[in-house]
Amino acid sequence: MTTASTRDLGLAELATAIARGTTTSVTATADALDRIEASASTLNAFRVVRRERALAEAAEADRQVGDGVRLPLLGVPIAIKDDTDIAGEPTAFGCGGNFPAKAEDAEVVRRLRAAGAVIVGKTNTCEVGQWPFTDAESFGYTRNPWNAEHTPGGSSGGSAAAVAAGLVPAALGSDGAGSVRIPASWTNLVGIKPQRGRISTWPMAESFNGLTVHGTLARTVADAALLFDVAAGAHPGDRHTPPALTVSDAVGRDPGRLRIALALNIPFTATRTSLDREVAARVQDVAGTLRGLGHEVTVIELPYGLLSGMSFLSRSMAGIRTELAKLTGAQVDPRTRFNANVGLLLGGPVLTAARAAEPLLHKRIGRVFDDYDVILAPTTATPPPPVDAMRGLGTAATDALITAACPYTWPWNVLGWPSVNVPAGFTAAGLPVGAQLMGPDCSEPLLISVAAQLEAELHWQRHRPEIWWER
């Protein structure tokens, strides 16, 4: 099988091809590694590439296929974000410096391996995952496959770029303020942010004080759902353990006629924000498609309130401080140090109060689901900014930039509820934008069912960027 054909296969398609013997894991993995190497100096999606180990794991997968073993992802090359531990590899989390190799896999990596996946490498992320851009002094700029002059978003930008460019069929990211959904929206991908605790964050009992969860990125709903189901599950040390569920079986399931709330209003921010007209138009287009599918769509103002922002700020800044403290000798941007110092001020009693506010927020925003089944909102307020938009900015200007671009996603991290980005189309300049489907506690199957309905109408997976990164 040629490199081009393995590039075009999705996650489930490639798993089937390997199981049937129409290609091999070694072929698929070598093709992925070759694409990663060819794009390293241009797209710059990966921090760690595991060529020798991945090829050895692929050869073992082929042996198992020959012995009749059948696993959901046996032999399929997958990427994970460089905030997640792989045994034998460092976890730099976007920071500069030399860090020791980890002794054990994170629980989510253990589950991917148990399903047969071959992990080809670790994708780039910004310093401690704190910005919706993927760049740092330690590795440079990760670029958007749709336009090299624009960011793919962040902080799971390396994972999104790798999938959108066809380097791998799917990838794992993490989402603490939109870090799966934002890059998914800016690279024409499906990005699933699950319920808190659905995918274990072990060796952390929780991540960023409960804000951050692992999520999945793929070109189709079915592939994102398949990776979700493989990755999902608890570790005995997890702080949050929602009831088990699967979502792949929701793909293609009729959700019935739903009451959908269209919320374009922006959560409270301390800086001036507005919704870009082209993004608003594309989200309205998605709403029109939903109406055409028989759903009732009503425009509302979502009652985010001031308290959710205060809760988010304390939990996120304290989380930055905690994560940076783990990286002994890390070389980071002054803005990262500043945020870590703010985390010291916002920890302790302030953090305790912020966490105590969560039930009130559940009650306040949860009332919306008395009248509506799903919320539709923009994923971002703007199309993807220039790749170097953060360069040379001070802390206040950086905060203003990221807030203006991405004010919509973080409330669902405070609530801990699921949300799914779906591609919403393109701007006149050809830049992808997205919309997010948001639900209450444990609503992933419903959101996946609606996302799959939209995909069947909009066929976003047919749109691929023109390859420039291998020239």
Side-chain angles (χ1 to χ4, degrees):
M1 182 167 282
T2 66
T3 300
S5 58
T6 59
R7 183 201 304 274
D8 292 338
L9 293 177
L11 185 68
E13 292 171 330
L14 187 51
T16 299
I18 292 170
R20 291 177 176 174
T22 56
T23 191
T24 67
S25 178
V26 167
T27 296
T29 301
D31 286 349
L33 290 164
D34 289 346
R35 291 193 291 269
I36 292 166
E37 181 178 343
S39 65
S41 64
T42 50
L43 196 66
N44 190 23
F46 281 79
R47 181 70 178 264
V48 173
V49 180
R50 305 178 70 246
R51 177 172 282 274
E52 291 185 7
R53 295 185 183 187
L55 287 172
E57 292 166 10
E60 172 59 19
D62 285 334
R63 185 194 66 75
Q64 292 183 56
V65 171
D67 289 344
V69 175
R70 294 295 179 264
L71 296 169
L73 298 180
L74 186 55
V76 179
I78 296 292
I80 69 164
K81 182 178 177 180
D82 193 27
D83 63 346
T84 305
D85 294 348
I86 299 179
E89 309 292 350
T91 299
F93 208 168
C95 299
N98 295 313
F99 306 103
K102 296 295 182 178
E104 297 181 354
D105 289 333
E107 174 65 13
V108 68
V109 173
R110 187 195 68 76
R111 289 178 178 272
L112 292 178
R113 290 192 192 278
V118 175
I119 300 171
V120 293
K122 305 184 75 178
T123 56
N124 277 324
T125 178
C126 61
E127 291 178 1
V128 204
Q130 63 194 307
W131 296 306
F133 292 80
T134 299
D135 62 84
E137 185 68 27
S138 58
F139 63 84
Y141 295 107
T142 296
R143 297 180 182 271
N144 194 318
W146 292 91
N147 188 314
E149 299 307 312
H150 291 263
T151 181
S155 62
S156 304
S159 287
V163 176
L167 308 187
V168 289
L172 196 70
S174 62
D175 190 314
S179 287
V180 163
R181 290 163 288 161
I182 291 165
S185 73
W186 285 345
T187 57
N188 195 54
L189 298 179
V190 176
I192 303 176
K193 172 214 165 315
Q195 177 80 21
R196 182 185 299 147
R198 183 77 62 212
I199 300 176
S200 175
T201 55
W202 193 260
M204 294 176 286
E206 64 173 4
S207 180
F208 277 78
N209 303 297
L211 293 179
T212 297
V213 299
H214 291 298
T216 60
L217 292 146
R219 289 190 293 260
T220 68
V221 176
D223 281 350
L226 172 59
L227 188 58
F228 176 107
D229 282 341
V230 165
H235 182 279
D238 290 347
R239 179 170 177 174
H240 309 282
T241 54
L245 55 76
T246 60
V247 297
S248 291
D249 50 357
V251 177
R253 181 192 301 161
D254 185 357
R257 186 172 185 269
L258 301 177
R259 302 163 301 167
I260 298 177
L262 173 59
L264 300 179
N265 63 302
I266 295 175
F268 174 81
T269 64
T271 57
R272 179 174 296 179
T273 57
S274 61
L275 178 59
D276 178 270
R277 290 183 179 179
E278 285 191 281
V279 175
R282 299 292 78 76
V283 175
Q284 291 279 12
D285 289 344
V286 173
T289 301
L290 289 168
R291 290 188 180 100
L293 288 166
H295 302 299
E296 179 184 347
V297 181
T298 305
V299 178
I300 70 163
E301 290 227 344
L302 200 56
Y304 295 108
L306 178 61
L307 190 59
S308 57
M310 296 170 62
S311 179
F312 172 78
L313 187 64
S314 175
R315 294 163 76 168
S316 62
M317 292 298 174
I320 290 169
R321 181 172 183 81
T322 297
E323 292 302 314
L324 188 59
K326 298 176 185 177
L327 297 164
T328 303
Q331 301 160 13
V332 295
D333 190 288
R335 291 169 290 190
T336 299
R337 294 286 180 197
F338 178 88
N339 286 342
N341 289 334
V342 172
L344 176 62
L345 297 174
L346 296 182
V350 179
L351 177 59
T352 300
R355 301 210 63 166
E358 188 174 309
L360 298 175
L361 296 170
H362 283 165
K363 185 176 181 180
R364 176 185 175 89
I365 298 179
R367 290 195 190 105
V368 172
F369 295 105
D370 293 339
D371 300 315
Y372 301 98
D373 303 299
V374 173
I375 298 168
L376 172 68
T379 302
T380 67
T382 71
V387 70
D388 60 351
M390 280 181 50
R391 178 190 291 174
L393 298 182
T395 300
T398 299
D399 289 345
L401 169 69
I402 66 176
T403 302
C406 302
Y408 281 104
T409 46
W410 57 266
W412 248 241
N413 296 88
V414 173
L415 296 167
W417 292 342
S419 178
V420 177
N421 175 78
V422 294
F426 299 83
T427 67
L431 296 172
V433 296
Q436 58 175 333
L437 300 167
M438 304 146 72
D441 187 66
C442 296
S443 59
E444 291 102 323
L446 177 61
L447 300 180
I448 292 296
S449 177
V450 177
Q453 268 197 330
L454 285 168
E455 180 178 281
E457 291 291 316
L458 300 177
H459 303 293
W460 53 64
Q461 74 279 14
R462 297 177 183 175
H463 300 285
R464 305 285 179 89
E466 181 181 351
I467 297 172
W468 52 264
W469 50 87
E470 294 179 6
R471 294 174 181 171

